Amino acid sequence: MKKTIALGIAGIMLISGILTGCGKAQETSNESLEASNETQEASNEIQAGSDESQEEKKGYQTTYGDKQFDNVTINVEVFDRSSAPEGATVVDNKWVDYINQEMNKVGINVNFVAVPRGEETTKIQVMMASGTAPDLILTYDRSLAESYYAKGGIVALNDYVDGEDQAVNLKKYITEEVLDMCRNDDGELWAITARRVNTAKKNLFIRKDWLDKLEMDMPETVDDLYNVLKAFKENNPDGKKDVVAFSSDTLSYSAYGVMEGAFMESVENETQFNISSYRPIYSDDGYVEYLRFLNKLYNEGLMDPEYYVGNSLNELIVNGRVGFFEYGINDTIGKDVLKSLQASEPEADIVSLPPLKNVNDGKQYNIADNGNGIYVLIPKTCQNVDAVITYLDWMATKDGGYVINNGFEGEHYQLEDGIPMAIDADYNDKDKNWINFDLFLVGNGGYFTDPQDVVDANAAMAPGYEEYVYENYKNAVIGDIIYATPTYVSPIQVECHTEIKLAQDENQIKCITCKPEEFDANIAVYREALKNAGMDKVLEERTAYFTGK
Amino acid sequence: MPEKLKRMDVAKGIMYLGIVFIVAICVYPFLNVLAYSFSDRVAVMSGKVTVWPIHFQLDAYKEILKQAQVWAAMRVSVIVTLSGTLLGLLMTVCAAYALSKPDLRGGKIFTGFILFTMYFGGGIIPTFLVVKSIGLYDSLFALVLPSAMNVFNFIVMRTFFRNISKELKEAALIDGAGDITILIKIVLPLSLPILATIGLYYAVDYWNDYFSALLYIQTPEKFSLQLRLRQILFAGQLDQMLGSADSAGVKIMPETLKMASIVVTTLPIIVIYPWLQKYFVKGVMVGSVKG
Amino acid sequence: MKMKVKGKEGAAAVNKKKNLNYYLWRDRWMYLLLVPILIYYIVFKYAPMFGIVMAFQDYNIFEGVLKSKFVGLDIFRTVFGKTQFWNSIRNTLVLNLLTLLVNFPLTIILALMLNEITSMKFKKMSQSLLYLPHFISWVVVAGIAENLFNMTNGSVNNIIKSAGGSAIPFLSSNGWWIVTYITCNVWKGIGWGTIIYLAALTGIDESLYEAAYLDGATRFQRIAYITVPMIKPVIVTMLILSVSKMMSIGLDAPLLLGNNKVMGISEVISTYVYRIGIQNAEYSMSTAIGLFQSVVNIIILLLADKFAKAIGEDGIL
């Protein structure tokens, strides 16, 4: 803790020194700046003397290659998923060697700290509490990251990233827009977040073979869907008796999906959507209609009567029991369920379909993911913040991210039309695929710049189903308007979250599983419960925030 | 022959049947897990596997056992369990014996001192800080020492020690034996069953403990087996909770692999109990007090 | 320590001191045995206890215990003010009490049954297999429970349906969920629980049984009047220890077996703390709740101990 204070004071002094120094020395040292810039670009030699004066004038140099560090070691967290192949550990393998080889060129050693993926939060918190946290920590949970920052243990990264010459590669890859996702109202950059290039998120899926056998059309409206579901159940083409006509991976938790978009009212207006997206049941009457629809399906036996027990969507799919469901964009391939189904029922076919038309205005609304993935934070105990940013900057370069993700040309891939095609999928799995995802911190899913690249990559991973994958990605982005649930979390929201979630858990299920005549009463109870948990205050803050933008 | 049949009462017959039934339902889930681990992925996903593997294969086990890290973790777990059990038994015997003496001055206070810790504790972070400050971070000692004494085990053992025949102890005292001699020559030999039981309790606790390794170990090679394989078991769980963020590029963890990891982590400890059964025999000296 | 006393009092005081020294010397080996124990507890259990103060602070992991703001009983006030907290306490007590009422006697009965088996092979085999469920993690148990008890095609419900009955909502109705929860707990713990009783049963003098047999006692009488009384100390100890954990409950079972439909009963203290974990003051709150649990448990322990002694048994203290 004393160290933190000392570091903080030193940081403040340094920053104020730079700010005053910058202004005065700017004009007189412009020429010398240009001169030393040229020599820097030309070689990677150690330039201790001119470097120091440059630092005072320009601030931290965090673009890879700009600064030669003095044999600095940084500790970087890496998730251990117990998937290391023979002869390697998650902290000691050829990729770690490669990273160090490249980083040593600028005088940085990268030391990896393994954290078991299953309990990473506990481990990191314990390390932070004892001041032994690595220099770079990770989390997928935004509220957690924000709370770390609010508690004062995380470095604000503005001074290392915002300058024009700072972290150039990083900013170019991540893009200003994604970077700003981690900027708070005071303009402080509290984390670097990985860019998610392709934000397609969910899809509706249907048993095409059943549809064809029943000679029905692809449903386009909610009413179409209802008729299809009824037919699936009552006239099942395969003669199945235990059909679960409708299912969805969002039934049991609070994510907003494609189905809801066909009912909600707030989707028509982005600001309104943003405000009410946190528990839309409270302020969006359209969402009530969505629940009413589910209630109807439930009471007519078109849903699994115990849908809330366990998570058996995969099992339902593989056993050929479910007729229509919502899932992640490409999960029928990604979770291996389509192939498994077809292994026992070769005629079965599951295809994705575009969103249903909204009952209010007939438009198609779709859902997208946020443009980001993991959050990278730097605790205040870090002694070399600029080195860490430089590491991230390198990760955003081709030598960094592209190689980490795709491997070496000739060893892991061949270029075909500029697209890396895997030479031997099994070799890649054993050699690089077990870790590259966790090493590549500035992007989610791979080193991509164009959303289409992501689709191509996914298609390449599903031989025989390439067209199918393309179709999935196409449907996932069909829509007159596509929304992403905003990441904004209002302060009151954090405080009330437990209570609100309790109210939701308890009441949502009651509304869906009750008798139709009790539905309206239960909705009233639901909203009352949310109100008592503090939803009004949350709405107030969200309204203020989003209308102010 | 007929006489034997007469003697076999109905009650006994029912009892045998009852036990067979209970054993069957206790074994079933384990057979289920075993069957899963030897089946092929598609069969498992469809939920059709019950007690017999479908499409027998060893893929899941090969996958797990070929990792050098798993063997390293197993070694760690074995070392920690063996030393932990020995240490735990030693300390528990000392405490239980000393405090089983009814007129030990300060005995009640000491017992209360120990008992208190069963209910009140500092929590994860303070314990971590203490362990770290004595230099045990990232060392196997941190896996052995902090959990060396278990209050529950201590109390149970003390109860057993207390109930060993007073007469026996007094007879030995009269013969001039000191406290320690009594412990070694009388109490321990008579306590084989309880020593085996408490030893088993410690062994299982140490073997199943993943949390200590999570807190105190940094080097991947020193992870305990439970911690190492727990990542496999919980791989799917998190992806659901976080939505698709995590799972975008991560391979899915097949059920077969999860089940195989369960078998690998539990098998070594399960085989200990039958081996310990031979200690569940009467102490050698029962019946040596006459009159 | 020097005391200035006079006359008779003085003599008695001196005698008393002498007696104390006498005992300390007589039992010197015992005290010696306790020294490493003492060190162990001080280092690993008492030193970290400063952490309890977190329950009275707005704990910030970066500031640590020394620098976090002291807030007195605020955390407790917040926690006690939440309805859900009290609901979870009620559920914890209900589930624990019912589980104990079923599990405790059944374990003893099973141990007695095993003790009656004369075939050594059968006995050894059963003992080795009965405790297997203890090693199966709750993740697997919950999965199996779902397969067995679900209404649509769970095996148990299939049997019920084919016998003419209608499916029972084992997992989706509050009342039946309690039955399912207890069943899973009993199933998981009964074999393991018998171990300690079996250990105790081996210590019973054979000659007592022989004498009873000669006197013409039935099996039941033999069990009731010899076996059970002989293991009474163990039973009482185990009962006291079990009862004193009334306020605590594991996280895995209720979390994995429960679902939103049966929240009214499946939300317990441990799942409540788990929910709070996402909030800001997580360590303070969980420490406060833990402290509350500890205080209640220790009170129950003291009461149980007193009760045991009152009915003539050795307590724990």
Side-chain angles (χ1 to χ4, degrees):
Chain A
M1 284 154 273
K2 279 193 186 150
K3 261 201 235 167
T4 318
I5 301 174
L7 200 66
I9 296 177
I12 294 171
M13 280 169 55
L14 186 58
I15 291 171
S16 39
I18 293 170
L19 288 173
T20 45
C22 260
K24 289 179 192 160
Q26 195 64 34
E27 284 143 348
T28 50
S29 64
N30 259 348
E31 282 171 46
S32 51
L33 266 173
E34 282 170 22
S36 43
N37 259 348
E38 283 168 40
T39 39
Q40 266 190 333
E41 282 165 23
S43 72
N44 278 331
E45 290 166 43
I46 298 175
Q47 303 162 29
S50 48
D51 260 349
E52 268 181 86
S53 57
Q54 302 231 328
E55 227 182 84
E56 280 163 19
K57 283 159 193 160
K58 284 169 67 180
Y60 297 102
Q61 290 173 296
T62 50
T63 304
Y64 179 74
D66 273 1
K67 173 174 170 180
Q68 194 64 16
F69 287 82
D70 193 9
N71 201 12
V72 153
T73 302
I74 57 174
N75 296 312
V76 171
E77 178 184 348
V78 67
F79 289 145
D80 187 337
R81 298 175 193 269
S82 288
S83 49
E86 262 177 84
T89 73
V90 78
V91 301
D92 181 10
N93 53 68
K94 74 193 260 186
W95 303 104
V96 170
D97 292 341
Y98 173 70
I99 290 175
N100 271 298
Q101 175 196 310
E102 294 298 305
M103 295 303 289
N104 281 344
K105 290 182 188 164
V106 289
I108 301 179
N109 298 317
V110 182
N111 181 39
F112 286 90
V113 175
V115 170
R117 177 68 186 99
E119 283 83 26
E120 47 110 4
T121 314
T122 314
K123 179 82 184 183
I124 282 298
Q125 288 186 346
V126 167
M127 288 178 101
M128 289 204 284
S130 61
T132 54
D135 296 318
L136 184 157
I137 60 175
L138 314 164
T139 180
Y140 279 101
D141 186 341
R142 188 193 174 88
S143 325
L144 195 58
E146 283 182 327
S147 94
Y148 286 158
Y149 186 73
K151 287 191 176 155
I154 305 291
V155 178
L157 300 171
N158 311 52
D159 296 317
Y160 300 88
V161 171
D162 286 346
E164 224 182 284
D165 296 321
Q166 292 179 316
V168 166
N169 298 303
L170 181 64
K171 285 191 291 202
K172 185 160 154 244
Y173 182 77
I174 291 186
T175 73
E176 204 69 40
E177 194 189 329
V178 174
L179 194 68
D180 283 341
M181 287 177 86
C182 294
R183 212 178 278 279
N184 65 15
D185 285 338
D186 299 321
E188 294 165 336
L189 187 67
W190 46 270
I192 303 284
T193 184
R195 175 181 167 202
R196 185 196 304 273
V197 172
N198 188 314
T199 55
K201 187 168 170 147
K202 307 294 292 296
N203 250 331
L204 300 174
F205 291 95
I206 197 168
R207 280 292 296 265
K208 187 77 166 48
D209 57 315
W210 287 358
L211 208 56
D212 290 339
K213 284 190 191 153
L214 289 167
E215 288 177 0
M216 294 178 86
D217 292 324
M218 205 60 111
E220 287 183 10
T221 67
V222 170
D223 289 329
D224 290 344
L225 178 62
Y226 177 70
N227 292 328
V228 166
L229 292 176
K230 268 209 113 64
F232 279 171
K233 173 95 185 177
E234 289 160 9
N235 283 332
N236 191 275
D238 287 343
K240 293 209 177 178
K241 291 291 165 214
D242 54 354
V243 173
V244 172
F246 176 91
S247 185
S248 162
D249 65 343
T250 59
L251 281 177
S252 293
Y253 54 92
S254 53
Y256 161 74
V258 185
M259 279 301 300
E260 289 90 321
F263 292 90
M264 285 169 67
E265 292 170 4
S266 56
V267 277
E268 293 163 18
N269 176 305
E270 182 170 356
T271 309
Q272 196 50 46
F273 174 76
N274 284 338
I275 296 174
S276 54
S277 65
Y278 181 71
R279 306 300 177 269
I281 177 68
Y282 195 67
S283 39
D284 188 331
D285 287 331
Y287 195 88
V288 176
E289 292 314 305
Y290 168 63
L291 290 185
R292 197 188 300 274
F293 180 68
L294 288 182
N295 181 283
K296 183 162 100 159
L297 294 183
Y298 184 82
N299 278 299
E300 294 186 21
L302 298 172
M303 270 171 69
D304 185 347
E306 281 183 329
Y307 71 86
Y308 40 82
V309 170
N311 182 33
S312 49
L313 182 54
N314 281 349
E315 222 176 274
L316 286 175
I317 300 175
V318 170
N319 285 323
R321 285 175 58 196
V322 65
F324 178 92
F325 57 95
E326 181 174 339
Y327 219 174
I329 344 152
N330 199 28
D331 276 346
T332 42
I333 298 287
K335 301 245 194 288
D336 243 357
V337 285
L338 181 58
K339 278 200 206 144
S340 304
L341 171 63
Q342 289 173 333
S344 50
E345 292 179 34
E347 280 186 19
D349 193 19
I350 306 179
V351 298
S352 54
L353 58 149
L356 302 175
K357 298 203 175 103
N358 186 294
V359 298
N360 302 306
D361 62 3
K363 297 203 188 128
Q364 287 173 310
Y365 293 98
N366 212 332
I367 176 85
D369 229 330
N370 294 306
N372 72 321
I374 205 169
Y375 295 90
V376 173
L377 304 115
I378 301 182
K380 284 191 176 151
T381 45
C382 172
Q383 312 270 25
N384 301 293
V385 180
D386 49 351
V388 177
I389 300 289
T390 308
Y391 172 62
L392 291 174
D393 186 75
W394 171 81
M395 189 62 80
T397 66
K398 259 212 145 195
D399 274 340
Y402 189 84
V403 170
I404 298 272
N405 276 297
N406 296 309
F408 301 105
E409 191 176 356
E411 185 184 341
H412 300 99
Y413 67 91
Q414 296 283 24
L415 280 175
E416 283 176 31
D417 292 328
I419 300 178
M421 301 298 285
I423 297 177
D424 180 347
D426 281 332
Y427 175 74
N428 284 358
D429 275 352
K430 289 193 184 69
D431 199 60
K432 71 172 175 69
N433 288 348
W434 63 278
I435 196 177
N436 57 5
F437 181 77
D438 285 321
L439 285 176
F440 185 54
L441 298 174
V442 298
N444 179 285
Y447 190 87
F448 303 114
T449 39
D450 189 289
Q452 188 57 30
D453 295 342
V454 178
V455 187
D456 292 335
N458 273 314
M461 286 204 285
Y465 287 88
E466 289 90 343
E467 280 309 311
Y468 184 78
V469 173
Y470 282 121
E471 193 64 25
N472 281 347
Y473 274 92
K474 197 177 99 194
N475 281 322
V477 296
I478 288 182
D480 296 291
I481 304 191
I482 304 181
Y483 285 129
T485 322
T487 52
Y488 170 70
V489 173
S490 91
I492 297 264
Q493 210 175 302
V494 176
E495 259 179 63
C496 299
H497 182 80
T498 311
E499 296 298 312
I500 292 181
K501 182 134 199 312
L502 270 166
Q504 175 192 13
D505 285 344
E506 203 182 321
N507 287 290
Q508 180 123 338
I509 202 168
K510 280 197 193 134
C511 291
I512 296 179
T513 58
C514 70
K515 299 222 175 15
E517 49 269 18
E518 295 168 6
F519 181 77
D520 288 309
N522 278 326
I523 289 285
V525 170
Y526 190 177
R527 282 180 160 169
E528 186 67 26
L530 283 176
K531 185 185 182 129
N532 291 335
M535 270 303 289
D536 280 335
K537 286 179 266 168
V538 174
L539 272 188
E540 234 177 83
E541 285 189 358
R542 287 182 80 90
T543 311
Y545 178 81
F546 285 110
T547 48
K549 279 199 144 204
Chain B
M1 264 307 221
E3 275 192 48
K4 259 194 184 168
L5 279 169
K6 271 192 221 158
R7 279 213 207 139
M8 185 132 124
D9 37 327
V10 180
K12 205 168 187 180
I14 295 180
M15 209 166 54
Y16 269 84
L17 270 173
I19 292 186
V20 167
F21 173 71
I22 298 177
V23 168
I25 57 177
C26 283
V27 174
Y28 166 75
F30 200 72
L31 287 178
N32 191 265
V33 169
L34 264 178
Y36 267 56
S37 66
F38 286 115
S39 303
D40 100 314
R41 287 216 267 147
V42 181
V44 166
M45 255 206 270
S46 62
K48 293 207 173 76
V49 182
T50 46
V51 289
W52 210 249
I54 300 183
H55 301 140
F56 185 92
Q57 60 181 307
L58 292 171
D59 282 1
Y61 286 101
K62 282 195 209 149
E63 184 81 28
I64 293 182
L65 294 175
K66 75 168 192 239
Q67 290 187 36
Q69 290 202 294
V70 171
W71 292 104
M74 194 166 309
R75 217 174 308 136
V76 166
S77 281
V78 169
I79 294 175
V80 166
T81 304
L82 280 176
S83 30
T85 307
L86 281 170
L87 182 64
L89 266 178
L90 192 63
M91 288 180 71
T92 310
V93 165
C94 289
Y97 180 63
L99 292 171
S100 66
K101 201 159 197 200
D103 56 349
L104 185 74
R105 287 289 182 269
K108 277 219 169 118
I109 300 175
F110 212 96
T111 306
F113 179 73
I114 295 180
L115 211 58
F116 189 75
T117 66
M118 189 154 81
Y119 297 94
F120 294 93
I124 306 175
I125 292 183
T127 314
F128 176 83
L129 289 172
V130 167
V131 169
K132 185 161 174 301
S133 67
I134 52 179
L136 294 183
Y137 187 68
D138 206 25
S139 121
L140 291 186
F141 281 107
L143 300 181
V144 174
L145 287 178
S147 4
M149 269 229 39
N150 178 311
V151 182
F152 178 87
N153 296 352
F154 154 72
I155 294 197
V156 169
M157 193 177 277
R158 191 189 62 156
T159 305
F160 269 76
F161 283 175
R162 269 189 184 161
N163 287 297
I164 289 183
S165 162
K166 240 182 167 175
E167 287 92 9
L168 220 49
K169 291 186 200 155
E170 280 168 9
L173 269 173
I174 294 173
D175 280 346
D179 281 327
I180 301 290
T181 323
I182 296 182
L183 171 67
I184 299 180
K185 292 236 167 88
I186 298 182
V187 175
L188 286 183
L190 284 178
S191 308
L192 288 179
I194 189 60
L195 288 177
T197 307
I198 300 296
L200 181 66
Y201 283 177
Y202 274 120
V204 170
D205 279 347
Y206 270 109
W207 184 263
N208 285 344
D209 178 21
Y210 74 92
F211 206 68
S212 297
L214 171 69
L215 285 186
Y216 304 125
I217 301 292
Q218 182 133 315
T219 326
E221 286 91 339
K222 291 191 200 159
F223 282 3
S224 71
L225 189 62
Q226 290 288 343
L227 185 63
R228 184 46 66 211
L229 293 180
R230 193 179 162 85
Q231 308 316 310
I232 297 182
L233 188 58
F234 282 85
Q237 232 79 337
L238 286 155
D239 297 341
Q240 283 163 21
M241 295 196 292
L242 294 167
S244 52
D246 205 351
S247 52
V250 179
K251 284 181 62 174
I252 46 159
M253 196 58 69
E255 279 295 300
T256 48
L257 206 58
K258 291 187 194 178
M259 295 302 144
S261 74
I262 293 178
V263 174
V264 169
T265 36
T266 32
L267 213 54
I269 200 71
I270 284 181
V271 301
I272 291 190
Y273 183 47
W275 176 78
L276 277 178
Q277 293 230 340
K278 64 179 181 236
Y279 292 108
F280 278 64
V281 292
K282 303 201 194 319
V284 175
M285 278 153 106
V286 166
S288 49
V289 177
K290 301 283 183 199
Chain C
M1 189 169 102
K2 282 193 180 158
M3 274 168 38
K4 283 190 180 161
V5 284
K6 295 185 179 147
K8 255 213 252 174
E9 276 180 2
V14 170
N15 270 338
K16 214 176 166 180
K17 257 210 299 190
K18 209 172 166 190
N19 276 342
L20 182 63
N21 280 336
Y22 164 71
Y23 283 115
L24 289 175
W25 178 251
R26 181 194 74 170
D27 298 330
R28 64 193 182 282
W29 294 111
M30 304 301 219
Y31 291 113
L32 201 60
L33 286 181
L34 288 176
V35 165
I37 316 289
L38 187 68
I39 298 177
Y40 167 82
Y41 274 103
I42 292 181
V43 171
F44 291 110
K45 303 287 175 191
Y46 281 94
M49 272 199 202
F50 69 86
I52 292 182
V53 83
M54 275 195 252
F56 304 96
Q57 294 179 320
D58 182 9
Y59 182 70
N60 178 322
I61 42 176
F62 300 110
E63 291 165 8
V65 170
L66 292 173
K67 299 229 180 80
S68 293
K69 197 175 81 170
F70 183 78
V71 293
L73 292 174
D74 277 358
I75 306 279
F76 286 97
R77 262 189 278 268
T78 317
V79 168
F80 287 170
K82 309 250 190 223
T83 333
Q84 185 56 28
F85 173 69
W86 298 106
N87 284 344
S88 55
I89 289 188
R90 177 202 67 209
N91 290 342
T92 307
L93 290 175
V94 167
L95 289 176
N96 276 344
L97 199 59
L98 290 176
T99 310
L100 184 69
L101 282 173
V102 175
N103 204 4
F104 198 80
L106 282 184
T107 310
I108 298 178
I109 293 176
L110 183 61
L112 292 174
M113 275 167 71
L114 284 169
N115 193 43
E116 291 299 309
I117 295 180
T118 43
S119 157
M120 275 317 274
K121 265 201 210 155
F122 185 74
K123 187 174 178 184
K124 275 203 169 151
M125 254 254 297
S126 335
Q127 275 177 244
S128 309
L129 293 174
L130 278 173
Y131 76 134
L132 282 180
H134 175 82
F135 293 96
I136 311 259
S137 95
W138 273 106
V139 177
V140 177
V141 175
I144 294 178
E146 276 158 28
N147 279 337
L148 287 177
F149 295 116
N150 81 66
M151 282 213 291
T152 325
N153 57 4
S155 316
V156 174
N157 269 321
N158 281 346
I159 296 176
I160 295 177
K161 280 188 262 189
S162 60
S166 54
I168 296 182
F170 286 111
L171 294 165
S172 40
S173 119
N174 283 6
W176 282 107
W177 188 84
I178 299 182
V179 173
T180 313
Y181 177 82
I182 295 179
T183 308
C184 289
N185 267 296
V186 169
W187 168 83
K188 194 167 188 301
I190 199 173
W192 182 255
T194 59
I195 297 183
I196 189 74
Y197 296 111
L198 289 172
L201 286 166
T202 57
I204 300 180
D205 197 346
E206 272 290 304
S207 58
L208 289 168
Y209 287 139
E210 283 161 19
Y213 184 65
L214 289 171
D215 279 345
T218 65
R219 180 193 300 278
F220 181 73
Q221 282 174 321
R222 176 164 43 84
I223 295 178
Y225 295 116
I226 298 181
T227 317
V228 172
M230 286 302 283
I231 58 170
K232 198 140 68 120
V234 181
I235 295 182
V236 171
T237 307
M238 294 297 289
L239 190 58
I240 296 180
L241 286 172
S242 305
V243 160
S244 71
K245 290 201 190 122
M246 251 323 113
M247 219 15 139
S248 310
I249 192 168
L251 174 64
D252 290 348
L255 185 68
L256 295 166
L257 278 175
N259 55 63
N260 285 347
K261 191 94 204 295
V262 293
M263 261 176 77
I265 184 67
S266 73
E267 284 290 314
V268 290
I269 294 186
S270 52
T271 54
Y272 186 59
V273 172
Y274 182 68
R275 277 179 184 271
I276 298 180
I278 313 171
Q279 251 183 262
N280 257 339
E282 66 215 49
Y283 281 105
S284 290
M285 274 212 189
S286 50
T287 311
I289 296 180
L291 197 56
F292 171 79
Q293 287 176 289
S294 303
V295 169
V296 174
N297 277 336
I298 220 172
I299 292 177
I300 298 181
L301 173 75
L302 293 171
L303 288 174
D305 194 60
K306 268 213 162 63
F307 182 72
K309 288 191 177 132
I311 60 172
E313 296 298 321
D314 275 335
I316 289 196
L317 291 166

